[in-house]
Amino acid sequence: MAPVSSNLTNTANSYDLQMNDSITFGHYIFQRLLSLGTKSVFGVPGDFNLPLLEYLYDDFQSPDTKEKTSIRWVGGCNELNSAYSADGYSRYTNKISCLITTFGVGELSAINGVSGSFAENIKVLHIVGVPSTKITESPVQKNWNLHHLVPSMDCPNFNPPNHNVYHDMIKDKISCSTHILSDITKAADMVDQVILDIYKYSRPGYLFVPSNFPDMLVSTKNLIDRPTITMDDALALNSIDSNFSLSHMKDLTRRILKILYKSETPAVVCDMLVDRYGGKKLINEFINRTKIRNFVTPLSKSTIDETNENYVGLYNGKQSNAKVIEHFENSDLVLHYGVFSNEVNTGVYSHSYGPNTTLIQLNPTYLRVVEYENGHHSELIYRDVNFLHILKQLLKDIDLSKLNFKYQPLATRVKQETIENSDGKITQASLGQAFPSTFNPGDILVADTGAFQFSIRDFVFHSQMKYITQGFYLSIGMALPCALGVGVAMQDYPLEHVYDKSKLPKNYTPRLILCEGDGAAQMTVQELSTMIREKISIEIYLWNNDGYTIERAIMGPTRSYNDIAAWNWTTLLNSFGDINGKLTNSVTIETQSDLVAKLKDLKEGDNNKCIEFMEVMLGKVDYPPQLQQMVNDQKKGAKK
C-alpha cells in the first residue's frame, strides 16, 4: 500500500470501494467495522476523537448488498456506561462491538467496563483518539505536558511526560492486542490484525488513533481482497503457530469417540466459552443427536436449550441442587466444553467427580484428557486445539449406533406453586418462583449483580431464550447500560440469538427484560435517557430493597455503608426525556398479587409503551438461599 497524506476532511465519501484506489483512514475504520457486522458504535466525543467521529457521516458500502448504507452512533452519558453498552452489543450478537473514547479522561473512565469484557471474554474493539503525531513526534511539543495527560512523577517541569502511559497501563493486561498507530502506511493492516486477535482470543483489543490520521489516505486493497473478517478466519486450522493439523484433529476426535462409545453414563457440561466462540448451535445439535445428559455452569446458562429432555440443571459444585450433584457425580465420563475455571463458576472450586470418572476438557486453546484405567488416572494435555474443530468433527464422525447409555431416570420436574405470604408482601423466595412465569420462548433476560441474580441460576428457561449477566467480574451497575447495548443490537439484528425459529410462538417478537437492584441502578441510571432517545423496547424490574442487599448478605447488614438515598423511581423517566409520558409507563408494585398480574399482562403483550418500568418493593435483608450458600462457602474457604 502507498497511502498519502490529505489535508481535506471527508475526502472519501463514496461507498463504491471498487472505484477508489484509496480512501481516508477514518472511512476505512468504519467500513471495516461494517464488514464485521458492527452496525452501531458506542462512546463519548472528545477533542482527540472528533476527527474520526466526523467520518460516521460518510456513505458506506453494505457488505451484503453492496448498496449505500450508514453506521449508527450511540452516544452514552459517560464512557463507563458506553463500555458496558458495547459489552452488551457483543454479548447479544457475538460480533465485535466498538467503543470510541478520547485520550486519558475518556479511556480511563471506560477501563472498568473493558476490564469486565476482558474477564468474561467479550469481543470489543476500543478505539482511543490520541494526540496528533505532529505533536508526539515534534522535538519541542513532545516534551509538553499536554492536557488529558498525567505528567511525569519526578520533576514534571523538567522531565518530559510519557505519551504512551495509558497504553502501558492496559497492554497485555486488559487487552489481547494493543497498537499505537504511528505509521499511516501500516495503519490499515494493524486494524485488521487487532480484529483477528479479538476473534482469536475473544477479548477486547485497543487501537490508539492519532487525531491527524483519520484524514490521511490508505489503500482500499485490504477491503477489496478481504471484504469480511470472521471468527473462522481467526480460528482456521494452522492459523496459529503450532503443529495442529486436520489429521491431528481427526486423531483426537477418534480417541474421544472411543471413550464415549465405552461410556454408560456420560455427561456434557456446557461452559461459558462455548457461547463466546459461537458454538451454541453445535453443542445443542450434539446433545439432541446423542441424547446425552447435559448440564450448564453459572456463566453458560441459556447456551443449552433447557427444554431438551436430557437437561439436568446447573452444576456449580457444592452450590448446586442436591439432585443435580447426584446425577453429575454418577457420570462415568464428563465432556466439559468451553471450560472457564474461576471461583464463581466452580462453586468456590468445589467441582467433584466420581472416583472412576474420565474427564475430557475442551477449551479454545487445549484439550485435556484425565482418564481412569486399570486403577490409575493418567493425564494428557494437547495444546493449540480448539474445541470448535473437535465438536464439528465429532458431529461428522459419530456413529450413534455405538452409543450405549444406561442412565437412571431423571427426577420429574415438578412445577412449584407460587408462594403466597399471609401479609401479601413480595419476598425473594416468592419472586424466584413467580418471575419465570413471565418468560416466553426467545425472550432475552439481562440481570445485574445482586441478590436476585442468584435465584436465576435455578430457573428453567424456555427454548431459544438468552440470558445475559456479568457472572464473574460482577461489576454492580453494569446491566442497565449493557441492556441498552443489547437493545441496540436487537434493533440491528432481530432474532440474532435464535437458531431455531420454529420453537418461537408464531409472529412473536422477543422481549428484552432487565432486572436491576436499586443500588446498582443508581450507579448507571443516566442511560435510561439514552434508551428513550434510541427507542429501546424494554421491561425494567427495579428491585427496591433499600440499598446494597448483596453486600449486606456478605457483611454489615445494618451498617450505613450499605445504605443508599431513597429515590422517587417512578418519576425518573419523565425527567430523563419522556416529558409527556407517551413513551414509557412506570408503576410501583408492593404485593405478590399485583406482581403476578403484571407479569401475566406483560407475558401476553398487554403493553403499548416503549419502556415498562416496574419498581418492586422487597425486604432490606431478604436473601435467596443460593446467595446465602455462596457467602457461607466463601467464608469457609477464607478460614482454610
Side-chain angles (χ1 to χ4, degrees), residues 70-197:
S70 60
I71 195 165
R72 172 162 56 161
W73 169 254
V74 183
C77 297
N78 60 57
E79 290 86 356
L80 173 60
N81 288 351
S82 290
Y84 288 147
S85 296
D87 183 292
Y89 190 93
S90 180
R91 285 180 192 255
Y92 176 78
T93 62
N94 206 28
K95 302 179 189 297
I96 292 177
S97 63
C98 182
L99 168 69
I100 302 179
T101 66
T102 196
F103 186 54
V105 292
E107 59 180 298
L108 294 186
S109 292
I111 205 166
N112 181 53
V114 179
S115 297
S117 297
F118 186 89
E120 298 199 1
N121 292 84
I122 306 300
K123 294 177 280 292
V124 177
L125 172 61
H126 188 181
I127 298 175
V128 181
V130 299
S132 167
T133 55
K134 295 176 182 178
I135 294 175
T136 58
E137 295 175 2
S138 165
V140 176
Q141 291 177 294
K142 70 179 182 180
N143 296 317
W144 292 359
N145 284 314
L146 199 65
H147 68 285
H148 295 340
L149 184 64
V150 292
S152 169
M153 189 175 79
D154 184 28
C155 296
N157 291 338
F158 298 98
N159 292 321
N162 175 11
H163 284 270
N164 297 338
V165 61
Y166 307 126
H167 162 276
D168 298 344
M169 287 181 183
I170 59 95
K171 186 179 187 308
D172 300 326
K173 300 178 180 71
I174 62 165
S175 173
C176 70
S177 186
T178 313
H179 291 283
I180 300 174
L181 302 184
S182 58
D183 183 349
I184 192 63
T185 66
K186 299 177 181 178
D189 290 338
M190 285 190 170
V191 171
D192 291 0
Q193 185 57 56
V194 171
I195 287 167
L196 282 168
D197 288 340

Side-chain angles (χ1 to χ4, degrees), residues 384-450:
D384 299 331
V385 180
N386 188 287
F387 75 91
L388 285 178
H389 298 142
I390 297 292
L391 186 50
K392 289 176 182 178
Q393 196 65 40
L394 283 171
L395 286 167
K396 288 180 181 178
D397 295 349
I398 192 166
D399 183 347
L400 299 178
S401 68
K402 293 183 178 180
L403 299 177
N404 187 32
F405 303 161
K406 298 177 181 178
Y407 294 119
Q408 293 296 318
L410 282 175
T412 303
R413 293 175 184 168
V414 179
K415 185 177 180 181
Q416 294 176 306
E417 297 297 327
T418 301
I419 294 175
E420 293 289 350
N421 302 310
S422 58
D423 57 5
K425 291 182 178 179
I426 304 165
T427 66
Q428 288 282 353
S430 64
L431 179 63
Q433 292 188 15
F435 197 76
S437 67
T438 193
F439 301 137
N440 290 314
D443 287 343
I444 299 95
L445 174 63
V446 181
D448 213 318
T449 297

Side-chain angles (χ1 to χ4, degrees), residues 60-79:
F60 299 98
Q61 177 176 291
S62 167
D64 300 319
T65 65
K66 309 303 180 187
E67 299 296 324
K68 174 181 174 181
T69 190
S70 60
I71 195 165
R72 172 162 56 161
W73 169 254
V74 183
C77 297
N78 60 57
E79 290 86 356

Side-chain angles (χ1 to χ4, degrees), residues 28-72:
Y28 182 94
I29 287 177
F30 292 121
Q31 183 62 59
R32 176 53 84 196
L33 285 171
L34 278 169
S35 79
L36 308 175
T38 307
K39 297 181 180 180
S40 300
V41 299
F42 302 86
V44 176
D47 46 0
F48 292 116
N49 66 27
L50 295 178
L52 175 61
L53 296 185
E54 278 295 306
Y55 285 94
L56 283 164
Y57 307 99
D58 275 6
D59 293 333
F60 299 98
Q61 177 176 291
S62 167
D64 300 319
T65 65
K66 309 303 180 187
E67 299 296 324
K68 174 181 174 181
T69 190
S70 60
I71 195 165
R72 172 162 56 161

Side-chain angles (χ1 to χ4, degrees), residues 27 36 42 55 59 63 157 226 277 281 341 388 390 419 422 436 518 521 528 534 579 591 605:
H27 188 99
L36 308 175
F42 302 86
Y55 285 94
D59 293 333
N157 291 338
R226 182 183 268 176
Y277 281 86
K281 185 176 181 180
S341 181
L388 285 178
I390 297 292
I419 294 175
S422 58
D518 55 343
L528 287 175
E534 299 295 332
I579 308 299
T591 67

